[in-house]
Amino acid sequence: MKIVVVGGGIIGCATAYELARTGCAVTLLERATPGAEASGAAAGMLVPLGETARSSFETLAIASWRLFPQVAKDLRERTGIDVEHVTRGTIYPLFTAEEIRRAEARAARHPGEEFGIAAWDAREVRDREPALATNVRGALFVRGDHWVNNQRLVAAYARAAVAAGVLLRSGLSVSRVVVEAGRARGVVADGERVDGDVVLLAAGAWTGQLVGSFGGRLPVEPKRGQMFALTHVPPVLHHVVHAEDVYLVPRPSGELLVGATVERVGFEGAVTAGAIAGLLRAALELVPALGDLAITRTWYGFRPWVPDGFPVLGPWPGVDGLWVATAHFRNGILLAPITARLMTAWITGGKPNMDVRDFLPDRFATAH
Ligand code: GLY
C-alpha cells in the first residue's frame, strides 16, 4: 500500500514509522523539518491521568504512556538517540488546606501502584525538593507522571522512519488533497503531484486548511503556547514541578524548561513580553533560586485544538482513502505512540484496535 503522510510532527513521524514497519511504501511530506512546529515546541510531559473519572481520552493516554519504556528502548537501539525518558515523577505544589484535602482524597482514590499517587506534607516537600518556596504547604506527588525530550523524540522517530524505508521529503509544502470520484489519490506539494492509495493528514493546527482544500470542514485551530528555558547548572530541581500557572521541567541535558501560556491568537507567531513576564513571576514565586539562572532561549508553538478538546482520529467521511490524525492539543507527545499504532492497525487492517468513537472526524463533518 502506497501512503502519503502530510506533516512531519511527532504524529506524522511516528505513524510513518509504524506504517513502514508493516511493509507500506510511505512518503512523509514536511514543509520545514521534522518537529519544526508544536512537537518541537512542547515540554515533553507524559501525564496520562485526568482529575476526574476515567474517560475515553484517559484510556488512550494511559495506553500510550505504557508504551513509552519500550518506545524509548526501541528508538535508542534503532537510531542511537536517547530520548531522555525520565521517570522520577511530578510534584503538584499545594498552598491551602482545601487543596491538601483534595489531594489526599485523590491519592486515596488512586491506590494503584502503577501511577504512585501520594499526598505529601510540607516536611516531605522540603526533603524531596528543597528549592520550593516556603509557602508551599504540601504537594500531590504523581510518580507516574514522566517526561521526555520531545525534540529528541521527534528526531528519533523521523530517523527510525527513514531507516524503516520511509521517503522523507522536507521543505515541501502541501497545498491540497487530490480527491477524484470520491477517493483520495494523493496531494499537490509545491505544484508537484504526489500520488498515494492512502493520504493521512497529520499537519497539526494546519490540518483544517488541507481539509478545506477539497471542500471539507474541520474546526481545528492553533492554541499558542509560549515558553522559555534556563541553564540548569547546577540543577535546582529534580522533579517536574507543575503549579496552576506555570510548570518547570528539568532535563537531563542541562536545561530547565518553563511553560506555558495557552492563547487563542490564531497563527500569530511571537514571544511576548507579557507572557514571559507572567511565567517568570510565577516561576520565581515557586522557586526563588531560579532567579540566578541564565535564560537561554524563548519560543512559541501552535497546539492543534478542536472545540471538544479531544484528538481527531480516523477516516474522513465521504472520501475513501483519506485519514486524519490531529488535534492532540496539549498531549501530542504523550499520545504519539498509541496514535501511530492505532492509525497503522486501522489503515492497514480496516478496523481500529481500540474504542475510537469519541475521536472520529465525522463528529465535525456533520456540523456544516
Ligand atoms: N503539554 C504542555 C503544554 O501544553 O503546555
Side-chain angles (χ1 to χ4, degrees):
M1 197 187 297
K2 212 167 138 193
I3 302 185
V4 179
V5 177
V6 182
I10 189 83
I11 301 298
C13 289
T15 310
Y17 168 58
E18 295 291 351
L19 285 165
R21 287 175 77 191
T22 68
C24 297
V26 183
T27 300
L28 174 59
L29 302 175
E30 161 53 40
R31 80 182 164 174
T33 54
E37 296 288 351
S39 308
M45 290 179 292
L46 310 176
V47 177
L49 297 184
E51 289 193 20
T52 48
R54 181 72 57 94
S55 63
S56 54
F57 181 86
E58 195 177 83
T59 302
L60 190 73
I62 290 171
S64 207
W65 176 88
R66 288 194 176 124
L67 295 174
F68 265 89
Q70 189 55 43
V71 164
K73 183 167 174 287
D74 177 51
L75 290 175
R76 190 187 192 127
E77 282 166 8
R78 287 169 189 267
T79 69
I81 296 174
D82 174 6
V83 301
E84 298 181 354
H85 184 220
V86 184
T87 58
R88 277 198 296 276
T90 293
I91 293 173
Y92 297 83
L94 307 171
F95 301 90
T96 65
E98 173 57 19
E99 285 174 348
I100 291 169
R101 192 196 58 70
R102 280 208 303 267
E104 284 168 352
R106 189 167 168 209
R109 267 203 314 277
H110 281 280
E113 261 303 290
E114 191 173 22
F115 299 103
I117 301 181
W120 286 355
D121 61 16
R123 191 189 49 77
E124 194 150 17
V125 172
R126 223 63 68 220
D127 287 350
R128 305 284 194 109
E129 205 61 277
L132 282 174
T134 49
N135 65 336
V136 176
R137 289 178 54 188
L140 183 77
F141 176 64
V142 184
R143 188 166 35 74
D145 284 356
H146 302 157
W147 61 101
V148 290
N149 181 319
N150 42 289
Q151 288 97 354
R152 288 186 175 203
L153 188 68
V154 193
Y157 263 128
R159 215 187 261 185
V162 170
V166 171
L167 176 62
L168 169 62
R169 298 186 65 189
S170 297
L172 210 57
S173 193
V174 174
S175 56
R176 69 181 180 92
V177 181
V178 178
V179 180
E180 289 167 356
R183 202 183 160 87
R185 302 282 175 191
V187 299
V188 175
D190 289 341
E192 176 193 343
R193 181 162 161 164
V194 181
D195 288 329
D197 310 309
V198 164
V199 174
L200 170 63
L201 304 179
W206 291 269
T207 307
Q209 295 169 9
L210 293 170
V211 170
S213 75
F214 59 87
R217 183 181 164 271
L218 178 65
V220 62
E221 61 172 278
K223 287 275 183 118
R224 186 173 69 183
Q226 300 188 51
M227 296 188 63
F228 63 92
L230 301 170
T231 302
H232 199 215
V233 182
V236 174
L237 295 173
H238 304 281
H239 304 83
V240 165
V241 178
H242 201 317
E244 187 81 11
D245 42 9
V246 72
Y247 56 72
L248 307 162
V249 182
R251 285 198 164 165
S253 47
E255 274 189 324
L256 182 75
L257 309 189
V258 183
T261 59
V262 183
E263 302 163 87
R264 200 171 184 183
V265 293
F267 287 104
E268 188 183 307
V271 173
T272 63
I276 298 301
L279 291 170
L280 264 173
R281 199 175 310 114
L284 293 179
E285 268 172 25
L286 199 57
V287 186
L290 298 184
D292 294 330
L293 303 181
I295 296 176
T296 52
R297 55 195 180 102
T298 62
W299 67 95
Y300 62 84
F302 295 117
R303 308 175 184 91
W305 173 84
V306 289
D308 64 13
F310 276 17
V312 180
L313 307 173
W316 189 263
V319 181
D320 290 343
L322 183 62
W323 298 75
V324 178
T326 187
H328 293 77
F329 190 33
R330 305 194 76 165
N331 290 285
I333 304 301
L334 169 62
L335 294 175
I338 198 72
T339 300
R341 292 187 193 196
L342 165 65
M343 296 309 295
T344 297
W346 204 349
I347 290 169
T348 60
K351 278 207 300 263
N353 55 4
M354 53 192 301
D355 182 2
V356 291
R357 273 170 298 182
D358 289 342
F359 311 127
L360 292 172
D362 63 10
R363 71 192 195 269
F364 299 110
T366 53
H368 60 160

